[in-house]
Amino acid sequence: MRERLPLLAAALWWGSLSAIGFVVVPLLFTHLPTPALAGGMAARLFEAQTFISIACGALLLVLSKRKYAEVEEAWARAAMVFIIGGLLLALVSQYGVAPRIVARQNLKLWHSVGTVLYALQWLCALLVLWRIARPLASGPEPAAVAAD
């Protein structure tokens, strides 16, 4: 079970970014009566997404090294920079960009910056998922099969 937790965390992170950013928020702006109402709801959803990102990233950091192990898990060596990068992007978006959008400061600029940061976070989460899934796709090692 522990071997699959990083994959589940990465899938939740990337999947939630995909669902909220590319499906739910555009639907809000299409179906709610005013852009202001849709924008307020979108801000709440992006805030919730930030907490999902933090939880998934923190879990991945905790799972990256087994207790008493001298080295990180193989997937962690390949994904660590993207985990940390994605977490930093989420925090900068939520606490650096979102307050400026809510305050309606130079909306075009801050919406563009927020969109770029969200897309980069999405890409980081995808690369984390890809790197974690790669060893699992090749199947278990022969010793692990015998142990099962």
Side-chain angles (χ1 to χ4, degrees):
M1 176 67 180
R2 187 189 190 290
E3 295 81 28
R4 296 194 188 274
L5 281 177
L7 181 63
L8 290 172
L12 174 61
W13 185 15
W14 179 76
S16 63
L17 282 166
S18 298
I20 289 173
F22 303 125
V23 178
V24 176
V25 169
L27 284 173
L28 291 176
F29 283 94
T30 301
H31 295 289
L32 289 180
T34 66
L37 188 60
M41 193 65 197
R44 288 188 178 106
L45 287 169
F46 284 131
E47 181 180 17
Q49 176 57 52
T50 297
F51 293 121
I52 292 169
S53 296
I54 291 168
C56 291
L59 180 60
L60 288 166
L61 291 174
V62 168
L63 295 171
S64 69
K65 189 173 177 186
R66 291 181 189 255
K67 194 173 185 177
Y68 305 115
E70 291 186 24
V71 296
E72 296 174 320
E73 298 287 331
W75 63 264
R77 287 189 295 274
M80 190 60 66
V81 69
F82 300 112
I83 295 168
I84 293 170
L87 285 171
L88 290 174
L89 288 164
L91 292 169
V92 168
S93 294
Q94 181 61 37
Y95 298 108
V97 175
R100 288 171 171 78
I101 294 172
V102 170
R104 306 187 65 73
Q105 295 176 352
N106 200 350
L107 279 176
K108 189 172 183 174
L109 169 71
W110 291 110
H111 270 281
S112 298
V113 171
T115 300
V116 168
L117 294 178
Y118 195 87
L120 289 172
Q121 184 191 171
W122 180 87
L123 184 61
C124 284
L126 176 63
L127 291 169
V128 169
L129 178 59
W130 193 273
R131 304 246 169 145
I132 291 172
R134 177 179 278 161
L136 294 175
S138 62
E141 296 178 12
V145 172
D148 289 336

